Structures are given as structure tokens and as C-alpha cells.
């Protein structure tokens, strides 16, 4: 029977009304959704993290609420954990829109049949809703709100984002939230690679985190884990044998501390950039771990109230690979909160290599040049050796290796304290002097203030062919600008120093490792230093009391040098050979030295002959200091450079970059054939031992 026109109109009208009501209902739901959105923060509040250069966690900080909640991305989690989580909690997770109707129906039927909850019907989206908006009670209205929130969440987040938020917020006992914090606390590792047993335990914990905490209730934790394993066998994710093997593992009975490495650098990074959640430093985690163990053990050996600081840097880049500000950050008896890598102290004898380097550079000495170690008076300044004894005549090599004070001051008097401090500034380090005081001879023996980082930065120049690098660890607010020049010594002089320091006897019992190193002890036994380097890495060590108190018996060689060698070994870094001598560099035997380099002396030290000297000191008049000379050095037909001087007593010895030119000459004019373009230092020494130098750039 065909419907009449009147009936058809009624059907059409009813359909239109129904459609309108549906549209109104849908519009109402959309309006409600917009009016009452779920409290989904654009970014979760998570623990600030400090990472090493490879992205490994060095240190984490609790959230303002006191929770350990580390941001978690799916690529940071073992895929097996995700599969087990979905299979156990929400097997139709990838298909539903926030509510699993079948699971809810099954849960309701089981409740009616048994009078109690047998299994839940909550999806992961519903559980996330409960995590971001905790319910006050388990009422029916609360459940309805959770269902609505799950639908809203699914409209706003992808399935991957829902999983990531769940794995970041899920409770794991105590103040642990999220899979990463739980894996680090219970297993001591990131959740990237988990055993089957570990993954199953992380799936089981969030349902009843306090009752199943493996550190407090290992029996409950193990039983819950085994139920997850059984479900995985049923779901086909695990074989029975694999699940059985996993169930044999004991649930951990301790909770580990989260990584607490590099506390001083980490705190600095957070202070400089508090808005960042993740801070990446230049450190290497394995290097940092090794150095912190070395510092802690060394401080214990040295005694109470003593702290130890270390800085290890790549001399080629200036990047710090490990830095320890104190022996133990949390040890109040050692003032562990003070970062001794940045504290200004007296450097003792650690600046002596740069004095000798300038003397090599100016052609004043060679390694086998003899120099006096006897009491001397330098205008009222009377330096004494550390052991209050004197060696008499020694070679320059021996004087530096034995760290004799008087020879170092003799050379500093010759090269000039101002020139030394100017080179320090060129290397990016400004030593601290008392107000209104100019650099004097005392800076050669520690009469100046520097930090451990300053010393390591200076020594990068020795390890890097004479060119220092600005140190950086990534904690800086801005990346420091590179040095405009950075030259602290010429390459040949830097090699001479490395060759001498590599011959210093290692401390007794030290591991065999080829390094050039220098020790130092400040006045009053307050600071012990040791700085060493190989062909790539520089390591600096400081030991002492942070309050600058005296420590009887503390010394660089006895106290700090063993830490230096142990630090190199524990760092795990490969030993890099020291550089080969650059072209034109000589280590001449004493018998082959020219007369003017046989013994170091100044005009004021010469006996009767010196008083008879009437000629003015020698002065190079051409080329002038700092000149750029075009000789066609890049071609095979490079021209020689004519050298001219005034004053001085014949005969004269000319040196280019520390290498003698021809034989002694009585004329005040000579020629020099450069072996390439670049900076060179030309020096002339007269018969009275007086010298003059200029630095030129050959093109």
C-alpha cells in the first residue's frame, strides 16, 4: 500500500524534525565541549633535565610539586613496553574513540553477576583523563565525567600523544611519575631497553602503585608482574617459556637515586636559562662519572675538610668533557656546594712553563743552557726554593722539571712580567692582582689570583701548538666568542715546554701514561695543583680547603699529581701522543750550543767584564716589531730578509724562532731566509748576553 501524500509529508516533517534535533544536540555537545574543555596543558610540567653531549641524563630536578616526572617520548621507551601496556590495559586502543563499549559492557555484566568489580572497562584515554583531573570519589557522576573527558581528549590528541602523556604522568609509587623516572629509580637505566620482566612490572605498577612498590612490597610487585606476564601469553605477545624465564627474575627491593652528576654545572645551566626544560652540556657522562669517583676517593684519602676539583677539556675545541666542582656536593664538612673550579686561588708554580716558553721564544735559552740556582736579590725581591735548598748550576730543562724558583724568576726578570700577563690576556685569562698593583716578579711563584678553569684554559695553548681555546661547558647563557688571537706561545716554544714537562717523573705508583704535567703548591700549603696534557686533552686538579685554611704536608707533587694520573685513567679517554716537533725546532746538546746560549746571564749579573760594558744594549732596527714583510714566501723564489741592529757588543748571535742562524758574526747586519709564510720571532744576542727580539709576519 503506497503512502498517501499526507502521510509522506508527515514522514518528511518527522525526518526534518529529527535531523534538526540531532543537529541541535550535536551542536550542543560541541558547544559544551568548547565551553568545558579538558585541562590539557599545551606542555606538561616535567622535571628539568641536564643532559650530556650525547643526550644521556646527567641530572634531573623535581617538579615544583616535589615529583620526579621526566618528559617521555615514545622513541625513548622500549616498544615492547608499549605493546604490553596496550594489550593489558586497552587492547582496542588503536580502534576506539576514547570509550571501549565492549569493555564497559563486559565490566557492567561482571559487576551485576558477581556483585563486585571483576575487571575495569577504562581505556587508556579514560585513565589519562583521571590523571590530569583526579576524581574526588568513585561515584557514578565521576565515571560519566571521565567518559566525557576521554572523548574530548581523543578529539584533541593523537593516539601517540595520549600514550606519551600516560607514560609521563602515570604513578609508580612515592613521588615517581612516568615510565622514565620509574625505570631509572627501580632499574637504574632508561626505559629504552627493558627486559621482559622489567616491562611487565612497569605495566603493573600504575594500577596500585603504593601497594605494589617493589622497594617496599616486592612480593606484591612480583605477583602483579606475573599476572601481566600471564596475560601476555594469552594475548600471544609472549611464549610460555619466555614468560616463565621472566617470572624467575626477582623484583628489585631498593629504590635508586636518579642521576646526580655534574651538580655545579647543572645548577649554573638552570640559573642561566631557567625557562628551558632540557639543558645539554658538552660533558661526557662516562668521563664525568669517572672524575667524580676520583675526586670523592681522593678527598677521603687526603683528610677531613679537604675538597678536590677537576676540569678536563678538549684542547682543540675548548669543550669541557668533565668538571667536578667539589669532592661531594652534599658534604657540608667539605663545603661541597662551593664550585672550586671557579674560585680564585694562588696557582703556586703552575705558571712557570709560560715563563720558560717566553724565554725560548725570545732565544734567551735552550733546554741545555746552564742557569744559576743560587740566592739572588731582584731589587729587594729574594725568592727561595720550596725546600729552602739550592742546586747551583743546572740546565734550563732541569730547572723547570725540578720547579726551582730562583731560575724561574731570573727568566721572568728577563722576559718581563708585563709581557707574561699580556700573553695570558691574549689567551682569554686575566689574572687578578691586588688593587692598583702592576704585575711583578712574584706572579712567577703564585703571587696572582687565577681559577682552575683559567689554568686549564692556559694549558690548552701548550697542548694545542701555542694557541689557547676558550673553555665552555654548555651551561653558559650565551656561547662565548672565540679568541681573536689566542696565541700564548709560538709553536716551537710550546713544543719545547711539552718536551721538558713530559720528562717529569710521575708520582710513585701512578699508572703509566705519557703526559706533560706541572705541579704547584701555594704559599702556606693552602692549595695543591697539578695540570697535565697529552696530544688532545688537558686535565687540571686542585686540592685544598675551600676556606683557604692551611693543610700541613699538602703539596702539588704529593697530593695533586696522583689525582691527575688517576683522573686520566678513570676518564676512559684514549691516550693521545704528544705532537711531533714543528719544522725548525731543535733540542741541541750542550756541547753544540753557541757560546751565547751556553749559560744564561743578564748584564747586571756579569762580573768585572759587565761593569766595563759601555755600549748600549742591542736593538733591532729592521725589520721593526710587528711588521708585515712581503718576501714571496709562498713561491720557490722567496727573497731573504735583511736584518739590521744598533748597539750591543760583538760578536752577535742571530736566532729565528729559537733556531740559530749562521755562526757568530761581528757585523751589525745579517740575512735570513724564511722557510714559509706566517709569524716569526727574530732575536739577536750580543757578547754580554743581552738580547733583543722582534716579531714579524712574512708574506
Amino acid at each position: 500500500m503506497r503512502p498517501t501524500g499526507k502521510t509522506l509529508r508527515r514522514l518528511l516533517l518527522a525526518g526534518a524534525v529529527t535531523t534538526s534535533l540531532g543537529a541541535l544536540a550535536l551542536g550542543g555537545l560541541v558547544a559544551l565541549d568548547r565551553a568545558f574543555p579538558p585541562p590539557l596543558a599545551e606542555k606538561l610540567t616535567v622535571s628539568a633535565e641536564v643532559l650530556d653531549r650525547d643526550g644521556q641524563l646527567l641530572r634531573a630536578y623535581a617538579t615544583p610539586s616535589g615529583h620526579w616526572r621526566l618528559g617521555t617520548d615514545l622513541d625513548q621507551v622500549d616498544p615492547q613496553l608499549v605493546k604490553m601496556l596496550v594489550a593489558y590495559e586497552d587492547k582496542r586502543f588503536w580502534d576506539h574513540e576514547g570509550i571501549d563499549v565492549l569493555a564497559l559492557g563486559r565490566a557492567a555484566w561482571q559487576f551485576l553477576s558477581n556483585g563486585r568489580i571483576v575487571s575495569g572497562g577504562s581505556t587508556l584515554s579514560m585513565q589519562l583523563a583521571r590523571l590530569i583531573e583526579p576524581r574526588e570519589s568513585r561515584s557514578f557522576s565521576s565515571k560519566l565525567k571521565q567518559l566525557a573527558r576521554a572523548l574530548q581528549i581523543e578529539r584533541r590528541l593523537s593516539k601517540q600523544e595520549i600514550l606519551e602523556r600516560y607514560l609521563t604522568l602515570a604513578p609508580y609509587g612515592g613521588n615517581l611519575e612516568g615510565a622514565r623516572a620509574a625505570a631509572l629509580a627501580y632499574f637504574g637505566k632508561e626505559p629504552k631497553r627493558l627486559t621482559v620482566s622489567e616491562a611487565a612490572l612497569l605495566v603493573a605498577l600504575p594500577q596500585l602503585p603504593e601497594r605494589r612498590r617493589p622497594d617496599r612490597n616486592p612480593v606484591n610487585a612480583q605477583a602483579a608482574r606475573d599476572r601481566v606476564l600471564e596475560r601476555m601469553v594469552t594475548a600471544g605477545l609472549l611464549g610460555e617459556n619466555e614468560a616463565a624465564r621472566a617470572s624467575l627474575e626477582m623484583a628489585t627491593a631498593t629504590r635508586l637515586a636518579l642521576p646526580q652528576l655534574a651538580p655545579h654545572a647543572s645548577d649554573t645551566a638552570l640559573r642561566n636559562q631557567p625557562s628551558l626544560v632540557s639543558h645539554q652540556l658538552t660533558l661526557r657522562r662516562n668521563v664525568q662519572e669517572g672524575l667524580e669517583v676520583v675526586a670523592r676517593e681522593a678527598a677521603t684519602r687526603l683528610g677531613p675538610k679537604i675538597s678536590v676539583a677537576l676540569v678536563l677539556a678538549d684542547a682543540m675545541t675548548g669543550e669541557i668533557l668533565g668538571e667536578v666542582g667539589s669532592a661531594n656536593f652534599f658534604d657540608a664538612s667539605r663545603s661541597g656546594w662551593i664550585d672550586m673550579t671557579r674560585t680564585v686561588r694562588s696557582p703556586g708554580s703552575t705558571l712557570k712553563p709560560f715563563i720558560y716558553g717566553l724565554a725560548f721564544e725570545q732565544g734567551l735559552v735552550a733546554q741545555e743552557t746552564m742557569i744559576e740556582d743560587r740566592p739572588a736579590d731582584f731589587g729587594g725581591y729574594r725568592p727561595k726554593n720550596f725546600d729552602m735548598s739550592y742546586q747551583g748550576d743546572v740546565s734550563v730543562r732541569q730547572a723547570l722539571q725540578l720547579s726551582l724558583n730562583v731560575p724561574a724568576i731570573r727568566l721572568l726578570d728577563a722576559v718581563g712580567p708585563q709581557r707574561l700577563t699580556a700573553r695570558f690576556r691574549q689567551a682569554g685569562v686575566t689574572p687578578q692582582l691586588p688593587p692598583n698593583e702592576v704585575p711583578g716578579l712574584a706572579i712567577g711563584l703564585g703571587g696572582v689570583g687565577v681559577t682552575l678553569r683559567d689554568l686549564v684554559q692556559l694549558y690548552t695553548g701548550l697542548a694545542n701548538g701555542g694557541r689557547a681555546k676558550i673553555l665552555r661547558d654548555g651551561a653558559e647563557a650565551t656561547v662565548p666568542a672565540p679568541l681573536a688571537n689566542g696565541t700564548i706561545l709560538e709553536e716551537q716554544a710550546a713544543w719545547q715546554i711539552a718536551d721538558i714537562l713530559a720528562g717529569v717523573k710521575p708520582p710513585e705508583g701512578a699508572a703509566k701514561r705519557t703526559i706533560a704535567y706541572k705541579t704547584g703548591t701555594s704559599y702556606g700549603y693552602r692549595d695543591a695543583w697539578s695540570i697535565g696534557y697529552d696530544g688532545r686533552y688537558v686535565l687540571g686538579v686542585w686540592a685544598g680547603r675551600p676556606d683557604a685554611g692551611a693543610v700541613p704536608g699538602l703539596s702539588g707533587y704529593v697530593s695533586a699529581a696522583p689525582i691527575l694520573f688517576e683522573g686520566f685513567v678513570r676518564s676512559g679517554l684514549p691516550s693521545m701522543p704528544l705532537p711531533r716537533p714543528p719544522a725548525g725546532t731543535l733540542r741541541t746538546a750542550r756541547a753544540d750550543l753557541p757560546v751565547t746560549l751556553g749559560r744564561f746571564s743578564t748584564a747586571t749579573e756579569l762580573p768585572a767584564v759587565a761593569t766595563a760594558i759601555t755600549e748600549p744594549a742591542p736593538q733591532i732596527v729592521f725589520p721593526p716589531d710587528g711588521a708585515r714583510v712581503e718576501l714571496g714566501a709562498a713561491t720557490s723564489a722567496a727573497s731573504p730578509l735583511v736584518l739590521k741592529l744598533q748597539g750591543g757588543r760583538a760578536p752577535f748571535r742571530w736566532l729565528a724562532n729559537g733556531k740559530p742562524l749562521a755562526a757568530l758574526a761581528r757585523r751589525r747586519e745579517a740575512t735570513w731566509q724564511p722557510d714559509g709564510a706566517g709569524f716569526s720571532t727574530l732575536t739577536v744576542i750580543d757578547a754580554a748576553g743581552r738580547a733583543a727580539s722582534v716579531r714579524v709576519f712574512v708574506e
Side-chain angles (χ1 to χ4, degrees):
M1 178 178 173
R2 291 186 178 182
T4 62
K6 186 175 181 179
T7 302
L8 186 58
R9 284 194 299 272
R10 287 176 178 173
L11 290 173
L12 290 174
L13 179 60
V17 170
T18 302
T19 302
S20 299
L21 290 174
L24 286 172
L26 181 60
L29 290 174
V30 171
L32 286 172
D33 178 61
R34 291 176 179 172
F36 302 100
L40 285 172
E42 184 176 345
K43 289 186 178 180
L44 294 176
T45 300
V46 296
S47 297
E49 299 179 34
V50 180
L51 312 175
D52 80 342
R53 65 193 300 118
D54 301 316
Q56 296 187 78
L57 185 65
L58 291 172
R59 191 175 184 83
Y61 293 79
T63 64
S65 62
H67 290 88
W68 296 108
R69 182 193 300 151
L70 304 179
T72 306
D73 297 330
L74 285 185
D75 59 4
Q76 296 174 299
V77 176
D78 193 326
Q80 179 176 238
L81 171 60
V82 176
K83 292 178 182 178
M84 293 172 71
L85 174 66
V86 171
Y88 189 77
E89 291 287 353
D90 189 359
K91 62 182 179 182
R92 283 179 284 275
F93 170 73
W94 300 104
D95 301 318
H96 63 65
E97 298 296 326
I99 299 174
D100 188 344
V101 178
L102 294 176
L104 282 176
R106 184 197 67 242
W109 174 254
Q110 289 174 341
F111 177 75
L112 292 174
S113 301
N114 297 276
R116 61 183 178 86
I117 297 176
V118 176
S119 63
S122 295
T123 62
L124 287 171
S125 304
M126 293 169 64
Q127 293 184 46
L128 177 59
R130 187 170 68 247
L131 291 172
I132 64 175
E133 198 172 26
R135 62 192 181 189
E136 298 179 359
S137 64
R138 296 173 63 88
S139 63
F140 183 70
S141 59
S142 296
K143 194 68 173 180
L144 286 178
K145 184 178 181 180
Q146 190 183 118
L147 291 169
R149 289 302 196 202
L151 294 172
Q152 290 179 301
I153 288 171
E154 290 273 348
R155 289 190 61 202
R156 289 166 170 78
L157 301 178
S158 68
K159 293 289 187 180
Q160 288 78 7
E161 290 171 329
I162 291 171
L163 280 173
E164 288 179 344
R165 294 209 174 202
Y166 175 87
L167 289 169
T168 300
L169 296 173
Y172 283 90
N175 62 347
L176 295 175
E177 292 187 354
R180 282 188 65 207
L184 288 165
Y186 294 137
F187 314 135
K189 63 181 180 181
E190 293 278 356
K192 184 69 175 178
R193 290 181 177 84
L194 300 171
T195 66
V196 172
S197 174
E198 291 167 346
L201 182 59
L202 292 185
V203 170
L205 281 177
Q207 286 76 46
L208 294 169
E210 292 304 321
R211 291 171 60 181
R212 296 175 178 176
R213 281 180 61 168
D215 59 326
R216 293 187 178 179
N217 302 298
V219 175
N220 291 349
Q222 197 157 312
R225 178 206 63 188
D226 291 346
R227 285 194 291 274
V228 173
L229 292 173
E230 291 171 5
R231 183 81 63 84
M232 295 306 102
V233 173
T234 303
L237 286 181
L238 293 177
E240 291 186 3
N241 291 337
E242 188 177 11
R245 285 194 300 270
S247 66
L248 294 177
E249 291 186 27
M250 296 298 293
T252 180
T254 58
R255 172 173 162 174
L256 308 173
L258 267 64
Q260 300 178 7
L261 298 170
H264 297 93
S266 298
D267 284 355
T268 301
L270 261 66
R271 281 196 304 270
N272 288 338
Q273 295 180 294
S275 60
L276 291 182
V277 172
S278 180
H279 304 259
Q280 189 159 26
L281 304 183
T282 63
L283 310 184
R284 286 184 180 171
R285 176 167 170 156
N286 64 317
V287 173
Q288 185 67 27
E289 285 179 321
L291 294 185
E292 290 193 13
V293 171
V294 168
R296 190 162 53 249
E297 294 178 352
T300 302
R301 290 195 304 268
L302 291 174
K305 298 185 178 181
I306 295 178
S307 191
V308 173
L310 302 97
V311 175
L312 193 155
D314 185 329
M316 294 187 180
T317 65
E319 292 182 338
I320 295 176
L321 305 180
E323 57 182 326
V324 182
S326 66
N328 188 333
F329 185 77
F330 299 103
D331 189 343
S333 69
R334 303 179 192 274
S335 301
W337 63 87
I338 299 178
D339 186 354
M340 296 306 299
T341 70
R342 299 175 181 268
T343 302
V344 176
R345 304 299 283 258
S346 165
S349 299
T350 56
L351 300 180
K352 287 179 182 175
F354 304 99
I355 299 172
Y356 284 81
L358 286 176
F360 280 117
E361 204 175 278
Q362 294 177 38
L364 301 179
V365 296
Q367 287 196 33
E368 296 303 324
T369 298
M370 300 303 292
I371 190 168
E372 286 188 7
D373 178 38
R374 295 182 176 86
D377 187 325
F378 300 88
Y381 180 57
R382 300 179 178 87
K384 296 179 175 61
N385 286 328
F386 183 76
D387 60 1
M388 304 302 292
S389 65
Y390 299 91
Q391 302 293 317
D393 285 352
V394 294
S395 69
V396 163
R397 181 181 180 88
Q398 291 171 323
L400 179 53
Q401 288 181 341
L402 296 174
S403 195
L404 301 177
N405 289 344
V406 177
I409 298 304
R410 291 185 187 278
L411 293 177
L412 181 58
D413 188 42
V415 301
Q418 296 277 10
R419 179 173 293 183
L420 179 66
T421 55
R423 290 295 179 90
F424 290 162
R425 290 192 296 272
Q426 202 162 286
V429 172
T430 303
Q432 294 191 21
L433 292 165
N436 303 318
E437 186 171 316
V438 298
L441 295 179
I443 67 174
L445 304 183
V448 67
V450 296
T451 68
L452 178 58
R453 286 172 65 112
D454 288 338
L455 283 176
V456 172
Q457 183 163 313
L458 293 176
Y459 273 72
T460 62
L462 296 181
N464 195 40
R467 294 184 64 86
K469 296 291 183 180
I470 288 286
L471 295 191
R472 60 178 299 267
D473 60 8
E476 303 85 4
T478 57
V479 177
L483 294 169
N485 185 337
T487 300
I488 193 166
L489 288 176
E490 292 180 356
E491 187 178 12
Q492 291 86 351
W495 181 86
Q496 296 282 4
I497 297 301
D499 187 57
I500 293 175
L501 295 182
V504 177
K505 182 181 177 181
E508 187 176 351
K512 291 185 178 180
R513 188 163 181 133
T514 302
I515 60 173
Y517 81 104
K518 183 73 183 74
T519 61
T521 308
S522 68
Y523 178 77
Y525 302 96
R526 290 176 171 83
D527 309 275
W529 304 87
S530 187
I531 319 288
Y533 58 95
D534 59 13
R536 181 67 183 264
Y537 306 109
V538 180
L539 175 59
V541 176
W542 170 89
R545 286 179 52 159
D547 62 1
V551 183
L554 187 77
S555 72
Y557 186 77
V558 173
S559 308
I563 303 174
L564 176 77
F565 279 80
E566 188 179 1
F568 265 117
V569 172
R570 294 279 193 98
S571 73
L573 295 171
S575 179
M576 306 298 287
L578 289 164
R580 298 176 62 83
T585 304
L586 297 176
R587 190 171 70 180
T588 308
R590 186 175 305 164
D592 298 329
L593 288 175
V595 174
T596 51
L597 287 179
R599 171 178 290 275
F600 174 78
S601 59
T602 62
T604 57
E605 292 178 313
L606 293 175
V609 177
T611 60
I613 295 176
T614 58
E615 302 93 339
Q619 179 183 1
I620 299 175
V621 295
F622 187 85
D625 189 35
R628 299 180 74 90
V629 185
E630 175 60 59
L631 298 176
T635 67
S636 58
S639 303
L641 177 64
V642 177
L643 313 176
K644 299 180 180 180
L645 69 90
Q646 291 179 349
R649 168 177 286 186
F652 305 103
R653 166 72 68 186
W654 286 91
L655 303 99
N657 299 319
K659 178 182 179 181
L661 296 185
L664 289 171
R666 306 195 67 83
R667 297 182 58 189
R668 285 176 165 77
E669 186 173 300
T671 58
W672 167 56
Q673 185 72 50
D675 55 7
F679 281 106
S680 291
T681 298
L682 303 172
T683 302
V684 66
I685 306 172
D686 74 352
R690 297 172 296 180
S693 297
V694 296
R695 196 161 187 255
V696 298
F697 187 87
V698 176
E699 298 178 331

